[in-house]
Amino acid sequence: MEGDRMRSKKKATAFFTRKSYLIAAAIMVVAAFGMIGLYYSQQDKKQEEQLAKEQAEQVQQAKIEDQTRENALRKKAEETAKAAQEQQAKAEKKEKEKEKKKEKEKEDETEAVSGIIAPQEDDFLDEPAVISGAADTAPIPEPEFHFNAVEDLTWPLQGNVIMNYSMDQTIYFATLDQYKYNPAVIIQAEVNSPINAVAEGIVTAVETNEETGATITVDMGDGYSARYGQLKEIPKNQGDYVENGEILGYISEPTKYYSVEGANLYFQLLKDGAPVNPMEYFE
């Protein structure tokens, strides 16, 4: 009996010993899987952090590239405006030199003529007496012009209208990068293109300003006037008569206000000094 109990006890001890080993092995397997899962979890976290870092670097690089492009565009616009100013200054200088040359030629011509006129004989006994009267002092009547608003104007040149007249709402000016009212039509043109008068009239002003450059204004009668800007080599002076279709000048390089739009004709139609839409009158 005693032997049987000893054998039973040994068997029980061996069973529990094997069971302990199995439990320990199971714990080790679970721990191993846990360690593997923790390792991969850490690797995934590192990859996510690396991806987030790379995306942040890409965003920063894109911002730098955008800023670089913006700076390049701004610099190009400034250079274009500066070149336009220099070209305008050269054109004005050339125009002044031409005017001085014309004045000098007139003075030389006057001196030459005055030098060859021979003195006439002063024999008042043979000449009839000249009695001065009202006919000698009567002023020469100025020509009258009548602008017919019903009839269409002739175009000053053939070209695309790149900016329409707009006084009821603002439109975008690319060079100025802002919205403004436009009291004229801006017609695309090539430099040196001739500009023709849209109707007959009298020149009331020839001037130069920063926005429209060399500009000539013609009174066409009945309160209507036409203003032509962005010109050069204007052959007329204030008070000169202008025929319909006569050349009033040539397209110049654009002023700094229209450097992005490019060379163009600034054409404005006025009624009693207020701008009106020229497109309603053109053929």
Side-chain angles (χ1 to χ4, degrees):
M1 293 294 292
E2 185 65 27
D4 293 335
R5 282 197 301 271
M6 290 296 293
R7 283 192 295 273
S8 297
K9 186 176 181 179
K10 287 181 181 180
K11 288 180 180 181
T13 301
F15 172 77
F16 284 114
T17 300
R18 285 196 300 272
K19 188 174 182 181
S20 297
Y21 287 151
L22 292 173
I23 293 173
I27 292 175
M28 291 179 65
V29 170
V30 171
F33 279 110
M35 291 294 291
I36 293 172
L38 180 60
Y39 172 79
Y40 282 109
S41 176
Q42 290 177 348
Q43 290 297 318
D44 291 341
K45 185 176 180 180
K46 287 182 179 180
Q47 290 179 355
E48 291 176 355
E49 291 176 351
Q50 181 65 25
L51 180 61
K53 183 179 179 181
E54 291 176 355
Q55 291 177 345
E57 291 176 352
Q58 291 176 356
V59 171
Q60 183 65 25
Q61 183 64 27
K63 289 182 178 179
I64 294 174
E65 291 176 354
D66 290 342
Q67 186 65 36
T68 302
R69 283 194 296 269
E70 183 178 350
N71 292 338
L73 290 174
R74 186 183 297 110
K75 183 177 180 181
K76 184 177 180 180
E78 292 174 352
E79 291 175 350
T80 302
K82 183 178 179 181
Q85 290 177 346
E86 292 176 352
Q87 187 66 26
Q88 181 66 22
K90 289 180 180 179
E92 292 176 356
K93 183 179 179 181
K94 184 178 180 180
E95 184 66 23
K96 289 180 180 179
E97 290 176 352
K98 285 186 177 180
E99 291 178 356
K100 289 182 179 179
K101 185 177 180 180
K102 288 180 180 179
E103 291 176 357
K104 183 66 168 59
E105 289 175 353
K106 287 181 179 179
E107 291 176 358
D108 294 341
E109 183 179 354
T110 301
E111 291 177 358
V113 172
S114 62
I116 63 174
I117 295 177
Q120 298 183 1
E121 296 179 359
D122 189 12
D123 190 357
F124 64 90
L125 295 177
D126 297 334
E127 296 290 334
V130 178
I131 301 174
S132 61
D136 298 329
T137 59
I140 300 174
E142 295 183 358
E144 293 185 2
F145 303 100
H146 296 285
F147 179 78
N148 190 345
V150 177
E151 296 181 358
D152 295 329
L153 295 178
T154 58
W155 282 81
L157 84 162
Q158 295 300 318
N160 296 325
V161 175
I162 57 177
M163 296 180 68
N164 278 312
Y165 170 94
S166 181
M167 291 299 289
D168 55 349
Q169 62 181 0
T170 58
I171 61 175
Y172 183 66
F173 283 68
T175 301
L176 302 178
D177 192 21
Q178 61 178 296
Y179 286 84
K180 293 176 53 181
Y181 293 104
N182 186 24
V185 291
I186 310 302
I187 305 174
Q188 189 177 39
E190 295 290 337
V191 175
N192 297 323
S193 298
I195 300 304
N196 302 313
V198 297
E200 65 175 350
I202 292 291
V203 177
T204 57
V206 178
E207 55 194 345
T208 301
N209 62 58
E210 290 186 353
E211 181 176 359
T212 61
T215 305
I216 180 172
T217 304
V218 178
D219 181 3
M220 301 179 294
D222 299 319
Y224 285 90
S225 296
R227 183 170 294 158
Y228 311 77
Q230 303 275 13
L231 302 183
K232 65 179 180 178
E233 300 178 16
I234 298 175
K236 296 292 185 179
N237 296 311
Q238 184 175 353
D240 288 350
Y241 169 73
V242 171
E243 294 182 357
N244 186 5
E246 185 176 358
I247 293 179
L248 299 179
Y250 300 86
I251 293 295
S252 177
E253 295 290 342
T255 64
K256 62 182 180 181
Y257 288 80
Y258 296 94
S259 59
V260 175
E261 289 81 358
N264 66 83
L265 170 66
Y266 177 96
F267 181 79
Q268 186 179 34
L269 184 64
L270 302 106
K271 175 67 169 73
D272 297 327
V276 294
N277 189 356
M279 302 301 292
E280 297 178 356
Y281 300 88
F282 281 143
E283 294 180 353

